[in-house]
Amino acid sequence: MILPGLSAVSLVIFAWTMLAIWSIATGVLELAAAIRLRKEIEGEWMLGLSGLISLGLGIAIPVVLWGNPAAGLVTMGWMIGFYALLHGVLEIALALALRKLANQA
């Protein structure tokens, strides 16, 4: 017996779970790096804020999907879009700050 609906649902659950785990792990590691690098670089707060945003996304994924799975699918698209925008801006700002710091040395 073939159940395509069950296969699709299990694939979606697996994908969201992996995204949440990846986001939490990335957030924790970015926060740890920001704490360890705070004496070495300027602008480490951008790395820390980026970690908090990643951690927030990782925690928000299961909360949104458990709350209302049908509406959560649309919300997930918006959340990932805002996450990518904020995270990208912070990473570019950090890269420019580090580049300026490297040029001064």
Side-chain angles (χ1 to χ4, degrees):
M1 181 150 110
I2 298 174
L3 301 171
L6 182 61
S7 298
V9 169
S10 62
L11 179 62
V12 168
I13 290 171
F14 176 76
W16 290 124
T17 303
M18 288 295 104
L19 182 63
I21 291 170
W22 169 83
S23 186
I24 290 170
T26 301
V28 168
L29 292 173
E30 286 178 340
L31 282 171
I35 291 169
R36 291 190 71 181
L37 291 173
R38 70 177 166 220
K39 294 179 184 173
E40 304 294 328
I41 64 172
E42 295 177 13
E44 78 285 350
W45 65 270
M46 289 182 266
L47 184 59
L49 185 57
S50 178
L52 284 175
I53 291 171
S54 293
L55 196 58
L57 176 70
I59 293 170
I61 288 173
V63 169
V64 168
L65 289 178
W66 280 106
N68 187 352
L73 293 176
V74 174
T75 305
M76 293 303 299
W78 283 100
M79 283 175 34
I80 291 172
F82 283 127
Y83 163 76
L85 181 68
L86 290 174
H87 195 268
V89 167
L90 285 169
E91 293 294 323
I92 289 171
L94 178 62
L96 292 174
L98 291 176
R99 183 172 146 191
K100 186 173 80 170
L101 184 65
N103 288 338
Q104 290 175 356

